[in-house]
Amino acid sequence: MNRPVGGDADPNPAPARRRSRVRRVIAAAAGATLAAASLMLTGTVPAHAATTVHTYAPTGVGGGTTTSPDVASAKYQVQVAGTPVQAVQYAESGHNFDIARFASDSRTPTITVTLPGTTIDTVNVYPARYYPSGSVSVSADKHTLTFRMSAAAKVNQAIVMVNGDSTNAAGQPYLAVVNDPLEDPARRPDTTSAPDGSGVNLQTGVLNFQEFAAKYLAAHPNSAAQKAPAATTSSMAGKTVGGTAVPAGQQTSAGSLVSASSVNVRYPSVRTMAANDVTYALRAALDTIEANPTALNTLYFPNGTYVWSGLLVNGVDGSKLKGGKLKIYTAEGALLKNRVQAYMEAFEPAVGIINSSNIEIDGRGVFDGNGVANYNARSSGDSHDAYRSQHQGGVTVMHSSDITFNDTYERNSKQWNYETHTANRVTFNNIKALTPYRQPWTDGTNFASGQDITANGVFTLGNDDAFASGHFNPSDGFTPLASGVWNNFQLGTSSADVQGYANAVAAYDTVVDALGFDNYHWTYEDSKNIAVSNTLNWSVGAGNAIRIGGSAYGHRLADYTFDNFNSLSASAGGISLNNGPRTQSVVIKNSSIDTSRFTKGPFWLNGGDGSTQTITADQQATYGYAPNPDGSGTTYSYTKTPIGTVTLDNVWFSKQNTSNTLNGATNVTLNNLRVAGQLVQYTSQFPLAPSRIGTLTSTYTDANGQTQNVKPGALTSGDTWVGAWTGDQTKNNSTDLTLITRNTGVGLMGEQYTTGAGDGKLSYLQFPINSLTRAPSRATLHLTYVGHRYSSVPSTDTDQLLVQPVSDTTCTGGGTSCPVNTMTWQNRPSFTATASSIAKSATFTLGSTVVPEGGGTHQGNAIDGRDITVDITSFVQNAYAANQSTLLFAVGNAGGTNHELRFVSSEGATGSVKLANGTAEMAPAITVTP
């Protein structure tokens, strides 16, 4: 019977008698499923202890700002443990999400969501692994849903999708629930104002930026401070680019200040700063702190709105300050919003920590990259093509060390949300990235390069990879010699725009001068020791769940660990590991990957093939390639080695599509994988296409806690029984917990019965065989015997199972479609069984377990537990030769009139409401010998 994504194995299954069968058991500890939570009408959520709920101050209100830009949700009314919490619309570019955020002292508060204008037909809560069927209750009027946040999930967020799921947009806007821990009071600075009103309190060590900026702008208005760039000689003067000679004296154009509303502004034109733009004030504030290292160490942003070019901290060594660290604190109502950047090529991330060390950023204020406006070239912003502009990140840590982010909110990023480049000892705790828009290249976390980077507690809404790493340089497309740059100015043609090219190069040089390094040297060392844990990530469009490797420029990538990494809705792929080109040790455990939108296998591995790669001296010096290990900078070569160690342990996938491609790895270990809520015990459940793999180990843990090898073969992908009795003829039983056979004697298997008082029954089972790479030397069908119907039949009576392959396109009803999930006696595969067309089991006794008719689903009945096997080798070999992707079998019994036999179905073994004494090992299956 078709098994919807549903419940898993009983965590405490009753023992079943077992003889010669290879065990097929889901680990006894498994309890939840990857299923979307089904409705439990008028259900109740268990009572809970009193919960303290802290609602956040309105974003941006304070310091003279009286109205928040946030708009209350028109769809959702949210309560947390009885406390109302406002949900806010995120609708700047499409409307994918509303977001309700709060803090509480409980990791498992009860969430109540009312949708006054929406009738709730379905609910899905993610990560689905932790919100199984029945975890959500819905009111009788179908307008309110209730669930308790999962402690097992170990994430502070949940995504609620009503009348839609991760495969579609039908339920948008979805709802994101963000449950922060209560803030640690020790992280809050002393907010006592300075006696002189300057904002600089030398007694507490705190610089109040709101007060400081007001004083600074009064004394240094932007209208007087901002100057247009002066004309300078181009750094490309006298060179030939793309076939066009740049004159030796080529100068950039003289700059000009243009209206802030101008669109597609290119350097040296610069947008005029608003009067309240605090960009210059920030620089002055940091200079003030550095100038008073024994007294000051904290930059404090009270509630209110701040407009600027981003929090740019460049060249600050916090170890020189009081307490050995620069602390930056944002109050929960602070909105730190990027302006539309000065010009198209400017580098203005929402947060930029550059060439700095020993910095800690705390607080629940919101950094807003203003990405939608920045990249809206039609009305307010600039074009964003790589060859026209610098990469614009959300939170960007570059060439920095000993950096910590605690509880940081970032939203509406221009591109990647959180990223690192040559960063060391960086810690991200409870970070959020709320950019649920189709922004360009909006990865959740992209630790492009770095060492000893830890992210614990991550929630991202983005438009690309949930996580990526591999030294990819997001701004190498805007270097002066990048072909896209000079092609954009038609160099090498009669229409060459040399002046435009010189201006673009000047824009690039301006950023390089500010950063202290060029775009090819964002990375200059290997990456290692990167750990990501307790995450929930969603993507609106493209992207992978985890992507490691790619453009590594010869650098090594080593020691990546993911624990409780949960990715939702990415469409490009699941786990994608490249050789990087020298990737080592990737471990992914206790994680779930939503594969519902994939069109290929969720696991793709491509390691080195042993070929030689040469890195020239020029590539090292000019283009940021990995330096010669001997430090000489001379040309050298290395071998593209296979990926060292790859481990997937207790990783869940919502579905499997095509085979998983594994190329080039030394050791690959797959343990306790699950697909569609089912433990992978058979190769068909998670088919692999390996090549150049040194050691491949694929295992699962059985009900006794023993490690077993995944067996070549397949679990049924659908099973049912059909009945000839008048009351059964039109019924589909594909959700029944047992399969039934009874031979009426009309036809070898009773398959020819048409009318009368007969009570014949046949079972049908379908199996995928597309994971086979060659015809097996042996194939065996396994069914678990439950018992028989009549107590009057002696237990010593014997019978045999009869099996014949059939087609669901030739049907008894005369049609060409009778699939398992709709099959009935009147419309089922039509076939004629003969002695030469069937396969038989060995003779077995009926035994003493009686399962009387009328017992409903027989959920509580005893199970005989014997493994009844049938040799089906020729059937599988023929199907493989015919290039069939599936095999459908009719199963009957040969025995007497009163021999009505029952066997465990797929639903009875592992369904959401399975047999009480059933275990996953009892599901119908095929084993094969290669």
Side-chain angles (χ1 to χ4, degrees), residues 511-553:
V511 174
V512 170
D513 289 345
L515 297 181
F517 49 87
D518 64 37
N519 285 7
Y520 282 122
H521 290 86
W522 285 26
T523 289
Y524 57 79
E525 62 185 13
D526 296 338
S527 291
K528 63 181 181 181
N529 297 335
I530 294 177
V532 181
S533 60
N534 302 323
T535 77
L536 176 56
N537 315 278
W538 176 89
S539 176
V540 62
N544 301 274
I546 296 173
R547 180 175 68 88
I548 298 175
S551 305
Y553 294 82

Side-chain angles (χ1 to χ4, degrees), residues 136-470:
V136 181
S137 66
V138 175
S139 62
D141 67 0
K142 301 182 73 173
H143 285 288
T144 299
L145 65 93
T146 304
F147 70 98
R148 175 174 289 187
M149 295 192 75
S150 167
K154 296 181 180 179
V155 294
N156 296 328
Q157 301 82 25
I159 291 175
V160 180
M161 297 186 178
V162 174
N163 301 340
D165 59 26
S166 60
T167 67
N168 61 56
Q172 292 180 354
Y174 306 133
L175 175 67
V177 177
V178 180
N179 175 25
D180 287 320
L182 293 177
E183 188 174 18
D184 182 356
R187 290 179 179 165
R188 300 173 190 159
D190 185 332
T191 60
T192 304
S193 295
D196 61 0
S198 66
V200 181
N201 193 327
L202 299 177
Q203 305 305 312
T204 64
V206 176
L207 188 152
N208 181 318
F209 185 72
Q210 193 172 85
E211 296 175 352
F212 179 90
K215 293 286 186 181
Y216 182 87
L217 289 177
H220 309 281
N222 291 330
S223 58
Q226 186 182 20
K227 307 295 182 184
T232 59
T233 301
S234 173
S235 61
M236 300 304 291
K239 300 179 181 178
T240 298
V241 182
T244 293
V246 179
Q250 179 68 49
Q251 292 231 322
T252 64
S253 298
S256 61
L257 301 180
V258 301
S259 167
S261 62
S262 300
V263 176
N264 283 324
V265 175
R266 306 192 66 159
Y267 189 88
S269 294
V270 179
R271 290 185 173 92
T272 301
M273 296 172 68
N276 65 339
D277 187 322
V278 294
T279 298
Y280 295 156
L282 173 66
R283 297 175 190 173
L286 291 171
D287 288 344
T288 299
I289 292 173
E290 289 187 283
N292 295 274
T294 61
L296 296 176
N297 65 356
T298 299
L299 181 62
Y300 164 52
F301 294 86
N303 289 354
T305 297
Y306 307 84
V307 177
W308 56 3
S309 62
L311 176 65
L312 183 61
V313 181
N314 191 347
V316 175
D317 181 357
S319 69
K320 297 179 179 179
L321 304 179
K322 173 185 176 182
K325 184 183 298 183
L326 170 63
K327 295 183 178 182
I328 300 173
Y329 181 87
T330 62
E332 63 184 44
L335 174 62
L336 307 105
K337 187 169 184 175
N338 277 53
R339 64 194 183 188
V340 175
Q341 61 198 50
Y343 48 88
M344 186 183 302
E345 307 93 341
F347 177 73
E348 298 185 3
V351 177
I353 309 298
I354 318 294
N355 305 313
S356 297
S357 60
N358 298 286
I359 296 173
E360 179 179 310
I361 299 178
D362 300 300
R364 282 116 192 254
V366 177
F367 292 94
D368 188 325
N370 202 15
V372 172
N374 265 286
Y375 285 152
N376 182 356
R378 291 180 298 277
S379 63
S380 62
D382 301 314
S383 298
H384 59 260
D385 307 87
Y387 59 84
R388 287 194 178 110
S389 64
Q390 293 283 344
H391 171 75
Q392 295 293 331
V395 175
T396 304
V397 181
M398 301 171 64
H399 292 212
S400 297
S401 61
D402 299 295
I403 311 296
T404 299
F405 290 83
N406 293 315
D407 304 327
T408 307
Y409 277 94
E410 174 269 335
R411 73 181 185 187
N412 197 0
S413 177
K414 302 175 198 175
Q415 289 172 350
W416 297 350
N417 282 288
Y418 285 86
E419 62 185 280
T420 66
H421 305 271
T422 314
N424 293 274
R425 298 178 300 283
V426 181
T427 301
F428 298 95
N429 293 315
N430 189 31
I431 59 171
K432 281 79 60 173
L434 310 179
T435 312
Y437 312 125
R438 291 186 181 273
Q439 289 293 94
W441 314 303
T442 314
D443 289 4
T445 49
N446 193 319
F447 301 153
S449 61
Q451 299 183 1
D452 300 310
I453 298 175
T454 300
N456 180 25
V458 177
F459 178 55
T460 66
L461 306 175
N463 185 45
D464 209 327
D465 300 327
F467 173 89
S469 183

Side-chain angles (χ1 to χ4, degrees), residues 833-886:
T834 66
S836 60
S837 66
I838 65 168
K840 296 182 179 181
S841 72
T843 299
F844 58 93
T845 61
L846 268 60
S848 58
T849 302
V850 175
V851 187
E853 185 68 10
T857 59
H858 307 281
Q859 188 173 7
N861 280 89
I863 296 175
D864 179 288
R866 279 178 283 168
D867 181 27
I868 309 302
T869 63
V870 183
D871 187 330
I872 55 170
T873 302
S874 63
F875 299 155
V876 177
Q877 289 175 338
N878 293 339
Y880 179 82
N883 200 32
Q884 291 179 223
S885 60
T886 62

Side-chain angles (χ1 to χ4, degrees), residues 465-486:
D465 300 327
F467 173 89
S469 183
H471 295 241
F472 177 64
N473 186 333
S475 273
D476 62 2
F478 190 62
T479 56
L481 294 180
S483 59
V485 175
W486 51 263

Side-chain angles (χ1 to χ4, degrees), residues 601-618:
F603 185 27
W604 190 84
L605 185 156
N606 186 31
D609 57 6
S611 61
T612 299
Q613 176 73 43
T614 297
I615 295 180
T616 67
D618 184 52

